[in-house]
Amino acid sequence: MTKIVIVGNGMVSFKFCEKFSSREDYGQYSITIFGEEHLPAYDRVHLSSFFENGTAEDLILAPSKWYQDHGIKLHCGMLVTGIDRYHKRVQTLCGHSESYDILVLATGSHPFVPQIPGVEKQGVFVYRTIEDLEAILEYSKTIDDATILGGGLLGLEAAKATKDMGLNTQVVEFASRLMPRQLDILGSEALQRKMSELGLKIHLSKNTSEILGGDKINGLRFADGTAIDTDMLVISAGIRPRDQIGRECGLTVGPRGGVVVDDHMRTSDPSIYAIGEVALHNGMIYGLVAPGYEMAQVAIDNITGSTTSFNAADMSTKLKLIGVDVASFGDALSSSEDVIPIAFNDPFSGVYKRINISKDKKYLMGGILVGDAESYNLLLQMYKNRMPLPPHPEDLILGARNGAGAGIGLEQMPEQAQICSCENICKSQICKTITSGKAENLGELKEQTKAGTGCGACLPMVKDLMELTLKSMGKEVRNVLCEHFDYTRQELHDILKVKEIKTFQGLLESVGTGDGCEICKPAVASLLASTWNELVTQQATIQDTNDRYLANIQKGGSYSVVPRVPGGEITPDKLIVIGTIAKKYNLYTKITGGQRIDMFGARVDELPEIWEELINAGFESGHAYGKALRTVKSCVGSTWCRYGLHDSVSFAIEVEERYRGLRAPHKLKSAVSGCRRECAEAQSKDFGIIATEVGWNLYVCGNGGANPRHADLLASDIDSNTCIKYIDRFLMFYIKTAEPLNRTATWLNKMEGGIDYLRDVVVNDVLGIGEELEREMQFMVDTYKCEWKEVVNNPALRARFKHFVNRNEPDPTMAFAAMRGQKVPVNWGS
Amino acid sequence: MITRTTTYKTTEAAEVSNWFRAGSVDDFPENGGSCIWYKGLQIAIFNFSTRDKWYACQNLCPHKQQMILSRGIIGSFQGHPKVACPFHKKTFSLETGCNLNGNLEDLAVYPVKVENAYVYVGFSF
């Protein structure tokens, strides 16, 4: 039995274990790991997503149990401080000593902290581990702005993190451009424009000379004499290999650090290997995950007796930085005379693309993509596999003239083309897994091949390849709902209608299998509601919790209540009613983005009483809990405003009352503006209406949220009746054809033919379904009922609103704290 | 944050020393759940009527320590009965309590029986 000891438990160390433990001869080896951090290896690449989900466990690559199950001894929180090469032992800080036959150094790197005066002040951080992140998060609670030192890849990730914490974020970079290793000056400018639009301030060519402040940082001074204010500094100025233990035990290290390895990842001691960011290969430190994984494989091969070599790895990379796609591959920054760059730069859309082609116009050598990196995978494959260029290589970044693809496709790609660079999976491996029947969907494919499980950048390509292969096998590729329904949402809609099915159970028995699940139940509930418009309370247990309790669940298990305020117009008397109720039930109140008032912190048993009082005062449900029409926002319009062209408030109220309660694949928002100044922000809504001199302009498929999208103009200068007619058709067409939980923006993005096709259907009625859509919408309008009114007046329905079946008391674990004079939930567990 | 999860321990069918009457069958919606109180614990009971089966587990979701599971949607995963937490759609087996789409700790589960239209949950304490 050969005993392998690994120092370090990061991503590369984990990959080493994962690959090693799946070998057939694994029984002849044992693995022991020492990790300095208290958590087992986690995904450092996606560290900033920690803020989106807020839990460390989502980042962990495998739980401690996985190591146990694979016979690996994992010691977390144990720092190795020394190596005794003579006796082949390692020592830890806590005095533990362990022998080895083979030692693998995977100690990674630490952030480089430049020696700037003031670097010891409070509020100065590095960005590397979950603990760093937690410290930053804690400190961020008391401050307003943050500065990131370093505009490289990791620095911009850190900027995303502090921005997500709600801090005004600035980035300071020493070089004259962002991501100097990956981007040229035009690429940097495109990225900078996008970042500025998103509220990030970028300072380039700034050499930080001093960190200002007393105990705590309050600013930075630069060598050119200028200064900025900041409450926090996150240093992300590059990495340095953690080579100390290697250095101290006499292994050869590079002049600027890093344990020197040969092509087989072996250090100057044949029993010691080094992989990942600590390893110095041919004078290079590789700070990316994919080369680290390749090193792990090479080390395993050589430990187990074969001889493979690590070649200069590809540093191509694609990532989403604060919502902006950025990619760089091959020889991206080439200034060689043998290479000719072709570039496309559109400052308006923020897209910059550059490809470098060989002088003989035969091959692609590298490139840069900013703002739109959709073609990255294909370009990367062309470069890596030295595929011949199409006759007009500029089509690769401009798109072909005739609207078709640029003449390179997955079909043309060679069998050995590498699709997933993290896991080193090639095209034929993916295709064979599918043709052999081992995988029929993306989940199975990922499980079988591991493709797309690293950085995930190749997933769109893996999916396309899967669909292409399935198609070539004569299998139809459809986005079926889930394992219980082998139908798309649109097909189920037709089935419900034709067979007049009105319950989930009915549909399941008719065309489904099994018991249903949390995916298909709410999706079918939405379909039933937008087909038959029967009350959602009749099938309460197929609804998501918000629709089951007709309120929005919040942290701690309390609910929030939003009465409808059509068009955002409300009388003082009604305002007083809301205030009185909120006071009586001790609810936190906040004005919503949709011109309504949200009351938070209601217990489930209080909801019917609160609604009874609201309904008696003339309110009705606002459907804030449903995938339904939410609100139609309005500006004050021509009634008061000196610029107003039409009465936007009255029209907003008419529109909101027409579509109130309408269930859809996702929530629907709308707005009406009284003139082109657009104070109601109608162009960011699913459908928005803007007054013109002679009528209304109707915009559709806009979206705020995570992926903002400006709405497209569907029809201009139309009268009110035509506007309503088009909205009827538009909404019904969306309800019938969209996939579950797709907003109108996503739906349109996926639609073949885009806005022109949508206009053909809605305005020109090319499908001849206009009247049918209008009729179906009129049915929805005529059968509308306020759900809360039904519940309040129905004792059986009211009885469902309690926490315990066998006790007339609320949930005793529900707890609140105070903030700015109102109650808020106590923070939840992690 | 104190982990409340440690307070919940599975009771195996053979260990039941107390069949606690939780309520009548009508207290539990078809293909859905409700919560009951037992000795300071909150237990979610599910009426899986399409299978004519009943299940019980802790009401506490181990992900964010929320008392919520009784309000989750139930269904099946490859034929295996499950419940999905309303907060972040973490799913758990109703038979074994194990987390089906992640690495969260197992839920405690309890035996259930129905007699004369009353629902009983089995506890070893």
PDB file of all heavy atoms in Angstrom, chain A residues 55 483-484 505 515-516 518 521 541 544 556 559 803 805-806 811, chain B residues 30 33 35 37 42 50-51 64 66 71 74-76 78 82 89:
ATOM      1  N   THR A  55     -24.748  31.084   1.483  1.00  0.00           N
ATOM      2  CA  THR A  55     -24.336  29.947   2.286  1.00  0.00           C
ATOM      3  C   THR A  55     -23.043  29.354   1.747  1.00  0.00           C
ATOM      4  O   THR A  55     -22.842  29.250   0.546  1.00  0.00           O
ATOM      5  CB  THR A  55     -25.391  28.820   2.285  1.00  0.00           C
ATOM      6  OG1 THR A  55     -25.581  28.410   0.943  1.00  0.00           O
ATOM      7  CG2 THR A  55     -26.699  29.293   2.848  1.00  0.00           C
ATOM      8  N   GLU A 483     -40.027  14.903 -14.813  1.00  0.00           N
ATOM      9  CA  GLU A 483     -40.127  13.456 -15.000  1.00  0.00           C
ATOM     10  C   GLU A 483     -41.576  12.962 -15.034  1.00  0.00           C
ATOM     11  O   GLU A 483     -41.831  11.843 -15.469  1.00  0.00           O
ATOM     12  CB  GLU A 483     -39.343  12.718 -13.896  1.00  0.00           C
ATOM     13  CG  GLU A 483     -39.899  12.937 -12.493  1.00  0.00           C
ATOM     14  CD  GLU A 483     -39.223  12.052 -11.444  1.00  0.00           C
ATOM     15  OE1 GLU A 483     -38.161  12.458 -10.946  1.00  0.00           O
ATOM     16  OE2 GLU A 483     -39.761  10.973 -11.137  1.00  0.00           O
ATOM     17  N   HIS A 484     -42.526  13.775 -14.564  1.00  0.00           N
ATOM     18  CA  HIS A 484     -43.912  13.300 -14.484  1.00  0.00           C
ATOM     19  C   HIS A 484     -44.744  13.588 -15.734  1.00  0.00           C
ATOM     20  O   HIS A 484     -45.814  13.032 -15.912  1.00  0.00           O
ATOM     21  CB  HIS A 484     -44.593  13.897 -13.261  1.00  0.00           C
ATOM     22  CG  HIS A 484     -43.838  13.611 -11.998  1.00  0.00           C
ATOM     23  ND1 HIS A 484     -43.098  14.564 -11.343  1.00  0.00           N
ATOM     24  CD2 HIS A 484     -43.662  12.467 -11.317  1.00  0.00           C
ATOM     25  CE1 HIS A 484     -42.512  14.022 -10.292  1.00  0.00           C
ATOM     26  NE2 HIS A 484     -42.828  12.744 -10.255  1.00  0.00           N
ATOM     27  N   GLN A 505     -54.784  16.450 -10.701  1.00  0.00           N
ATOM     28  CA  GLN A 505     -54.905  15.004 -10.630  1.00  0.00           C
ATOM     29  C   GLN A 505     -55.465  14.445 -11.935  1.00  0.00           C
ATOM     30  O   GLN A 505     -55.016  13.422 -12.430  1.00  0.00           O
ATOM     31  CB  GLN A 505     -55.805  14.634  -9.433  1.00  0.00           C
ATOM     32  CG  GLN A 505     -55.484  13.294  -8.811  1.00  0.00           C
ATOM     33  CD  GLN A 505     -54.002  13.132  -8.479  1.00  0.00           C
ATOM     34  OE1 GLN A 505     -53.387  14.044  -7.947  1.00  0.00           O
ATOM     35  NE2 GLN A 505     -53.436  11.992  -8.824  1.00  0.00           N
ATOM     36  N   ASP A 515     -46.381  10.917  -9.141  1.00  0.00           N
ATOM     37  CA  ASP A 515     -47.179  11.706  -8.206  1.00  0.00           C
ATOM     38  C   ASP A 515     -47.087  13.201  -8.433  1.00  0.00           C
ATOM     39  O   ASP A 515     -47.652  13.972  -7.689  1.00  0.00           O
ATOM     40  CB  ASP A 515     -46.705  11.427  -6.774  1.00  0.00           C
ATOM     41  CG  ASP A 515     -46.619   9.949  -6.489  1.00  0.00           C
ATOM     42  OD1 ASP A 515     -47.642   9.382  -6.085  1.00  0.00           O
ATOM     43  OD2 ASP A 515     -45.547   9.349  -6.707  1.00  0.00           O
ATOM     44  N   GLY A 516     -46.292  13.649  -9.399  1.00  0.00           N
ATOM     45  CA  GLY A 516     -46.070  15.091  -9.541  1.00  0.00           C
ATOM     46  C   GLY A 516     -44.947  15.536  -8.627  1.00  0.00           C
ATOM     47  O   GLY A 516     -44.378  14.731  -7.888  1.00  0.00           O
ATOM     48  N   GLU A 518     -42.606  19.445  -7.124  1.00  0.00           N
ATOM     49  CA  GLU A 518     -42.654  20.895  -6.925  1.00  0.00           C
ATOM     50  C   GLU A 518     -42.429  21.680  -8.212  1.00  0.00           C
ATOM     51  O   GLU A 518     -42.589  22.891  -8.220  1.00  0.00           O
ATOM     52  CB  GLU A 518     -41.643  21.308  -5.852  1.00  0.00           C
ATOM     53  CG  GLU A 518     -40.176  21.277  -6.268  1.00  0.00           C
ATOM     54  CD  GLU A 518     -39.571  19.871  -6.263  1.00  0.00           C
ATOM     55  OE1 GLU A 518     -40.304  18.899  -5.992  1.00  0.00           O
ATOM     56  OE2 GLU A 518     -38.356  19.754  -6.549  1.00  0.00           O
ATOM     57  N   LYS A 521     -46.337  20.690 -10.371  1.00  0.00           N
ATOM     58  CA  LYS A 521     -47.590  21.084  -9.712  1.00  0.00           C
ATOM     59  C   LYS A 521     -47.881  22.587  -9.875  1.00  0.00           C
ATOM     60  O   LYS A 521     -48.944  22.955 -10.366  1.00  0.00           O
ATOM     61  CB  LYS A 521     -47.570  20.676  -8.236  1.00  0.00           C
ATOM     62  CG  LYS A 521     -47.840  19.171  -8.044  1.00  0.00           C
ATOM     63  CD  LYS A 521     -47.896  18.788  -6.581  1.00  0.00           C
ATOM     64  CE  LYS A 521     -48.331  17.328  -6.429  1.00  0.00           C
ATOM     65  NZ  LYS A 521     -48.423  16.926  -5.015  1.00  0.00           N
ATOM     66  N   THR A 541     -53.017  22.618  -2.492  1.00  0.00           N
ATOM     67  CA  THR A 541     -51.747  21.921  -2.242  1.00  0.00           C
ATOM     68  C   THR A 541     -50.886  21.715  -3.491  1.00  0.00           C
ATOM     69  O   THR A 541     -49.788  21.211  -3.403  1.00  0.00           O
ATOM     70  CB  THR A 541     -51.980  20.549  -1.575  1.00  0.00           C
ATOM     71  OG1 THR A 541     -52.864  19.794  -2.408  1.00  0.00           O
ATOM     72  CG2 THR A 541     -52.562  20.718  -0.197  1.00  0.00           C
ATOM     73  N   ASP A 544     -47.493  26.772  -5.123  1.00  0.00           N
ATOM     74  CA  ASP A 544     -46.354  27.178  -4.313  1.00  0.00           C
ATOM     75  C   ASP A 544     -46.901  27.879  -3.075  1.00  0.00           C
ATOM     76  O   ASP A 544     -48.020  28.376  -3.086  1.00  0.00           O
ATOM     77  CB  ASP A 544     -45.458  28.143  -5.106  1.00  0.00           C
ATOM     78  CG  ASP A 544     -44.302  27.415  -5.763  1.00  0.00           C
ATOM     79  OD1 ASP A 544     -43.792  26.470  -5.141  1.00  0.00           O
ATOM     80  OD2 ASP A 544     -43.922  27.784  -6.877  1.00  0.00           O
ATOM     81  N   GLY A 556     -38.133  33.794   8.109  1.00  0.00           N
ATOM     82  CA  GLY A 556     -38.742  33.558   9.412  1.00  0.00           C
ATOM     83  C   GLY A 556     -40.131  32.949   9.325  1.00  0.00           C
ATOM     84  O   GLY A 556     -40.703  32.565  10.341  1.00  0.00           O
ATOM     85  N   TYR A 559     -45.580  36.342   6.592  1.00  0.00           N
ATOM     86  CA  TYR A 559     -46.005  36.673   5.232  1.00  0.00           C
ATOM     87  C   TYR A 559     -46.176  38.175   5.067  1.00  0.00           C
ATOM     88  O   TYR A 559     -46.358  38.904   6.046  1.00  0.00           O
ATOM     89  CB  TYR A 559     -47.325  35.974   4.911  1.00  0.00           C
ATOM     90  CG  TYR A 559     -47.180  34.484   4.727  1.00  0.00           C
ATOM     91  CD1 TYR A 559     -47.239  33.614   5.809  1.00  0.00           C
ATOM     92  CD2 TYR A 559     -46.956  33.949   3.463  1.00  0.00           C
ATOM     93  CE1 TYR A 559     -47.088  32.235   5.639  1.00  0.00           C
ATOM     94  CE2 TYR A 559     -46.818  32.582   3.279  1.00  0.00           C
ATOM     95  CZ  TYR A 559     -46.880  31.729   4.367  1.00  0.00           C
ATOM     96  OH  TYR A 559     -46.733  30.385   4.178  1.00  0.00           O
ATOM     97  N   HIS A 803     -51.038  27.736  12.041  1.00  0.00           N
ATOM     98  CA  HIS A 803     -49.744  27.056  12.025  1.00  0.00           C
ATOM     99  C   HIS A 803     -49.847  25.625  12.521  1.00  0.00           C
ATOM    100  O   HIS A 803     -49.315  24.717  11.907  1.00  0.00           O
ATOM    101  CB  HIS A 803     -48.721  27.842  12.844  1.00  0.00           C
ATOM    102  CG  HIS A 803     -47.326  27.287  12.724  1.00  0.00           C
ATOM    103  ND1 HIS A 803     -46.555  27.473  11.598  1.00  0.00           N
ATOM    104  CD2 HIS A 803     -46.583  26.515  13.563  1.00  0.00           C
ATOM    105  CE1 HIS A 803     -45.393  26.856  11.754  1.00  0.00           C
ATOM    106  NE2 HIS A 803     -45.383  26.269  12.934  1.00  0.00           N
ATOM    107  N   VAL A 805     -52.171  22.255  13.786  1.00  0.00           N
ATOM    108  CA  VAL A 805     -53.467  21.599  13.719  1.00  0.00           C
ATOM    109  C   VAL A 805     -54.028  21.402  15.126  1.00  0.00           C
ATOM    110  O   VAL A 805     -55.222  21.557  15.365  1.00  0.00           O
ATOM    111  CB  VAL A 805     -53.306  20.237  13.004  1.00  0.00           C
ATOM    112  CG1 VAL A 805     -54.435  19.294  13.338  1.00  0.00           C
ATOM    113  CG2 VAL A 805     -53.194  20.449  11.512  1.00  0.00           C
ATOM    114  N   ASN A 806     -53.140  21.063  16.058  1.00  0.00           N
ATOM    115  CA  ASN A 806     -53.617  20.649  17.381  1.00  0.00           C
ATOM    116  C   ASN A 806     -53.372  21.699  18.466  1.00  0.00           C
ATOM    117  O   ASN A 806     -53.252  21.382  19.633  1.00  0.00           O
ATOM    118  CB  ASN A 806     -52.955  19.318  17.780  1.00  0.00           C
ATOM    119  CG  ASN A 806     -51.432  19.438  17.842  1.00  0.00           C
ATOM    120  OD1 ASN A 806     -50.856  20.403  17.344  1.00  0.00           O
ATOM    121  ND2 ASN A 806     -50.784  18.456  18.464  1.00  0.00           N
ATOM    122  N   ASP A 811     -46.646  29.972  15.662  1.00  0.00           N
ATOM    123  CA  ASP A 811     -45.337  29.331  15.732  1.00  0.00           C
ATOM    124  C   ASP A 811     -44.467  30.049  16.765  1.00  0.00           C
ATOM    125  O   ASP A 811     -44.124  31.217  16.581  1.00  0.00           O
ATOM    126  CB  ASP A 811     -44.697  29.428  14.331  1.00  0.00           C
ATOM    127  CG  ASP A 811     -43.277  28.857  14.288  1.00  0.00           C
ATOM    128  OD1 ASP A 811     -42.819  28.342  15.330  1.00  0.00           O
ATOM    129  OD2 ASP A 811     -42.659  28.936  13.220  1.00  0.00           O
TER     130      ASP A 811
ATOM    131  N   GLU B  30     -55.677  16.967   1.327  1.00  0.00           N
ATOM    132  CA  GLU B  30     -55.274  15.883   0.432  1.00  0.00           C
ATOM    133  C   GLU B  30     -54.003  16.271  -0.321  1.00  0.00           C
ATOM    134  O   GLU B  30     -53.871  17.395  -0.792  1.00  0.00           O
ATOM    135  CB  GLU B  30     -56.396  15.596  -0.561  1.00  0.00           C
ATOM    136  CG  GLU B  30     -57.556  14.898   0.115  1.00  0.00           C
ATOM    137  CD  GLU B  30     -58.490  14.238  -0.890  1.00  0.00           C
ATOM    138  OE1 GLU B  30     -58.300  14.432  -2.096  1.00  0.00           O
ATOM    139  OE2 GLU B  30     -59.400  13.533  -0.422  1.00  0.00           O
ATOM    140  N   GLY B  33     -49.747  18.901   3.519  1.00  0.00           N
ATOM    141  CA  GLY B  33     -49.353  18.692   4.903  1.00  0.00           C
ATOM    142  C   GLY B  33     -49.890  19.732   5.855  1.00  0.00           C
ATOM    143  O   GLY B  33     -50.396  20.773   5.449  1.00  0.00           O
ATOM    144  N   CYS B  35     -48.972  21.043  10.258  1.00  0.00           N
ATOM    145  CA  CYS B  35     -47.995  20.924  11.334  1.00  0.00           C
ATOM    146  C   CYS B  35     -48.690  20.637  12.662  1.00  0.00           C
ATOM    147  O   CYS B  35     -49.771  21.163  12.917  1.00  0.00           O
ATOM    148  CB  CYS B  35     -47.223  22.236  11.411  1.00  0.00           C
ATOM    149  SG  CYS B  35     -46.070  22.312  12.778  1.00  0.00           S
ATOM    150  N   TRP B  37     -47.976  20.002  17.109  1.00  0.00           N
ATOM    151  CA  TRP B  37     -47.105  20.302  18.247  1.00  0.00           C
ATOM    152  C   TRP B  37     -47.021  19.054  19.107  1.00  0.00           C
ATOM    153  O   TRP B  37     -48.054  18.457  19.436  1.00  0.00           O
ATOM    154  CB  TRP B  37     -47.730  21.461  19.022  1.00  0.00           C
ATOM    155  CG  TRP B  37     -47.135  21.774  20.351  1.00  0.00           C
ATOM    156  CD1 TRP B  37     -47.492  21.218  21.557  1.00  0.00           C
ATOM    157  CD2 TRP B  37     -46.108  22.709  20.636  1.00  0.00           C
ATOM    158  NE1 TRP B  37     -46.757  21.760  22.563  1.00  0.00           N
ATOM    159  CE2 TRP B  37     -45.889  22.687  22.038  1.00  0.00           C
ATOM    160  CE3 TRP B  37     -45.352  23.591  19.853  1.00  0.00           C
ATOM    161  CZ2 TRP B  37     -44.943  23.497  22.656  1.00  0.00           C
ATOM    162  CZ3 TRP B  37     -44.423  24.396  20.485  1.00  0.00           C
ATOM    163  CH2 TRP B  37     -44.220  24.337  21.865  1.00  0.00           C
ATOM    164  N   GLN B  42     -42.038  20.523  16.638  1.00  0.00           N
ATOM    165  CA  GLN B  42     -42.991  20.744  15.542  1.00  0.00           C
ATOM    166  C   GLN B  42     -42.803  19.636  14.511  1.00  0.00           C
ATOM    167  O   GLN B  42     -41.708  19.441  13.988  1.00  0.00           O
ATOM    168  CB  GLN B  42     -42.745  22.112  14.889  1.00  0.00           C
ATOM    169  CG  GLN B  42     -42.988  23.269  15.846  1.00  0.00           C
ATOM    170  CD  GLN B  42     -43.075  24.605  15.129  1.00  0.00           C
ATOM    171  OE1 GLN B  42     -43.368  24.673  13.930  1.00  0.00           O
ATOM    172  NE2 GLN B  42     -42.826  25.683  15.858  1.00  0.00           N
ATOM    173  N   THR B  50     -52.883  10.366  -2.991  1.00  0.00           N
ATOM    174  CA  THR B  50     -52.845   9.586  -4.235  1.00  0.00           C
ATOM    175  C   THR B  50     -52.209   8.225  -4.004  1.00  0.00           C
ATOM    176  O   THR B  50     -52.445   7.288  -4.748  1.00  0.00           O
ATOM    177  CB  THR B  50     -52.036  10.304  -5.343  1.00  0.00           C
ATOM    178  OG1 THR B  50     -50.805  10.727  -4.791  1.00  0.00           O
ATOM    179  CG2 THR B  50     -52.794  11.489  -5.897  1.00  0.00           C
ATOM    180  N   ARG B  51     -51.379   8.105  -2.989  1.00  0.00           N
ATOM    181  CA  ARG B  51     -50.767   6.807  -2.683  1.00  0.00           C
ATOM    182  C   ARG B  51     -51.455   6.131  -1.511  1.00  0.00           C
ATOM    183  O   ARG B  51     -51.028   5.055  -1.083  1.00  0.00           O
ATOM    184  CB  ARG B  51     -49.302   6.996  -2.305  1.00  0.00           C
ATOM    185  CG  ARG B  51     -48.434   7.407  -3.441  1.00  0.00           C
ATOM    186  CD  ARG B  51     -46.992   7.389  -3.020  1.00  0.00           C
ATOM    187  NE  ARG B  51     -46.162   7.636  -4.194  1.00  0.00           N
ATOM    188  CZ  ARG B  51     -44.905   7.221  -4.302  1.00  0.00           C
ATOM    189  NH1 ARG B  51     -44.332   6.563  -3.320  1.00  0.00           N
ATOM    190  NH2 ARG B  51     -44.220   7.466  -5.388  1.00  0.00           N
ATOM    191  N   LYS B  64     -32.085  26.525   6.280  1.00  0.00           N
ATOM    192  CA  LYS B  64     -32.059  27.850   6.908  1.00  0.00           C
ATOM    193  C   LYS B  64     -32.738  27.832   8.271  1.00  0.00           C
ATOM    194  O   LYS B  64     -33.130  28.892   8.773  1.00  0.00           O
ATOM    195  CB  LYS B  64     -32.747  28.871   5.990  1.00  0.00           C
ATOM    196  CG  LYS B  64     -31.985  29.159   4.714  1.00  0.00           C
ATOM    197  CD  LYS B  64     -30.734  29.972   4.989  1.00  0.00           C
ATOM    198  CE  LYS B  64     -29.916  30.172   3.741  1.00  0.00           C
ATOM    199  NZ  LYS B  64     -28.649  30.838   4.029  1.00  0.00           N
ATOM    200  N   GLN B  66     -35.715  26.865   9.255  1.00  0.00           N
ATOM    201  CA  GLN B  66     -37.038  27.471   9.238  1.00  0.00           C
ATOM    202  C   GLN B  66     -38.109  26.409   9.524  1.00  0.00           C
ATOM    203  O   GLN B  66     -38.038  25.295   9.013  1.00  0.00           O
ATOM    204  CB  GLN B  66     -37.310  28.097   7.866  1.00  0.00           C
ATOM    205  CG  GLN B  66     -36.328  29.179   7.487  1.00  0.00           C
ATOM    206  CD  GLN B  66     -36.584  30.489   8.211  1.00  0.00           C
ATOM    207  OE1 GLN B  66     -37.638  31.099   8.090  1.00  0.00           O
ATOM    208  NE2 GLN B  66     -35.607  30.919   9.008  1.00  0.00           N
ATOM    209  N   ARG B  71     -45.657  23.163   4.948  1.00  0.00           N
ATOM    210  CA  ARG B  71     -46.287  23.953   3.885  1.00  0.00           C
ATOM    211  C   ARG B  71     -45.655  23.658   2.528  1.00  0.00           C
ATOM    212  O   ARG B  71     -45.915  24.352   1.548  1.00  0.00           O
ATOM    213  CB  ARG B  71     -46.163  25.457   4.183  1.00  0.00           C
ATOM    214  CG  ARG B  71     -46.884  25.858   5.451  1.00  0.00           C
ATOM    215  CD  ARG B  71     -46.733  27.353   5.735  1.00  0.00           C
ATOM    216  NE  ARG B  71     -46.786  27.606   7.178  1.00  0.00           N
ATOM    217  CZ  ARG B  71     -46.463  28.751   7.744  1.00  0.00           C
ATOM    218  NH1 ARG B  71     -46.067  29.758   7.010  1.00  0.00           N
ATOM    219  NH2 ARG B  71     -46.532  28.897   9.060  1.00  0.00           N
ATOM    220  N   ILE B  74     -45.610  18.264  -1.915  1.00  0.00           N
ATOM    221  CA  ILE B  74     -45.116  16.894  -1.921  1.00  0.00           C
ATOM    222  C   ILE B  74     -45.213  16.313  -3.328  1.00  0.00           C
ATOM    223  O   ILE B  74     -45.930  16.837  -4.172  1.00  0.00           O
ATOM    224  CB  ILE B  74     -45.847  15.989  -0.900  1.00  0.00           C
ATOM    225  CG1 ILE B  74     -47.346  15.968  -1.175  1.00  0.00           C
ATOM    226  CG2 ILE B  74     -45.545  16.440   0.516  1.00  0.00           C
ATOM    227  CD1 ILE B  74     -48.083  14.939  -0.329  1.00  0.00           C
ATOM    228  N   GLY B  75     -44.471  15.256  -3.557  1.00  0.00           N
ATOM    229  CA  GLY B  75     -44.466  14.646  -4.878  1.00  0.00           C
ATOM    230  C   GLY B  75     -43.513  13.478  -4.865  1.00  0.00           C
ATOM    231  O   GLY B  75     -43.226  12.914  -3.802  1.00  0.00           O
ATOM    232  N   SER B  76     -43.012  13.121  -6.050  1.00  0.00           N
ATOM    233  CA  SER B  76     -42.089  11.993  -6.071  1.00  0.00           C
ATOM    234  C   SER B  76     -40.885  12.288  -6.946  1.00  0.00           C
ATOM    235  O   SER B  76     -40.942  13.117  -7.846  1.00  0.00           O
ATOM    236  CB  SER B  76     -42.792  10.727  -6.567  1.00  0.00           C
ATOM    237  OG  SER B  76     -43.299  10.923  -7.869  1.00  0.00           O
ATOM    238  N   GLN B  78     -38.284   9.967  -9.041  1.00  0.00           N
ATOM    239  CA  GLN B  78     -38.071   8.600  -9.527  1.00  0.00           C
ATOM    240  C   GLN B  78     -38.833   7.589  -8.677  1.00  0.00           C
ATOM    241  O   GLN B  78     -38.292   6.580  -8.238  1.00  0.00           O
ATOM    242  CB  GLN B  78     -36.575   8.294  -9.554  1.00  0.00           C
ATOM    243  CG  GLN B  78     -35.871   9.165 -10.584  1.00  0.00           C
ATOM    244  CD  GLN B  78     -34.362   9.075 -10.524  1.00  0.00           C
ATOM    245  OE1 GLN B  78     -33.804   8.343  -9.707  1.00  0.00           O
ATOM    246  NE2 GLN B  78     -33.698   9.828 -11.393  1.00  0.00           N
ATOM    247  N   LYS B  82     -41.405  12.526  -1.754  1.00  0.00           N
ATOM    248  CA  LYS B  82     -40.539  13.612  -1.261  1.00  0.00           C
ATOM    249  C   LYS B  82     -41.360  14.834  -0.900  1.00  0.00           C
ATOM    250  O   LYS B  82     -42.523  14.961  -1.286  1.00  0.00           O
ATOM    251  CB  LYS B  82     -39.504  13.984  -2.324  1.00  0.00           C
ATOM    252  CG  LYS B  82     -40.124  14.626  -3.568  1.00  0.00           C
ATOM    253  CD  LYS B  82     -39.067  15.214  -4.496  1.00  0.00           C
ATOM    254  CE  LYS B  82     -39.685  15.788  -5.751  1.00  0.00           C
ATOM    255  NZ  LYS B  82     -38.741  16.401  -6.670  1.00  0.00           N
ATOM    256  N   LYS B  89     -36.587  25.282  -2.255  1.00  0.00           N
ATOM    257  CA  LYS B  89     -36.831  24.052  -3.006  1.00  0.00           C
ATOM    258  C   LYS B  89     -35.800  22.956  -2.705  1.00  0.00           C
ATOM    259  O   LYS B  89     -35.381  22.220  -3.600  1.00  0.00           O
ATOM    260  CB  LYS B  89     -36.866  24.327  -4.512  1.00  0.00           C
ATOM    261  CG  LYS B  89     -38.014  25.245  -4.943  1.00  0.00           C
ATOM    262  CD  LYS B  89     -39.297  24.461  -5.017  1.00  0.00           C
ATOM    263  CE  LYS B  89     -40.586  25.209  -5.206  1.00  0.00           C
ATOM    264  NZ  LYS B  89     -40.733  26.586  -5.083  1.00  0.00           N
TER     265      LYS B  89
END
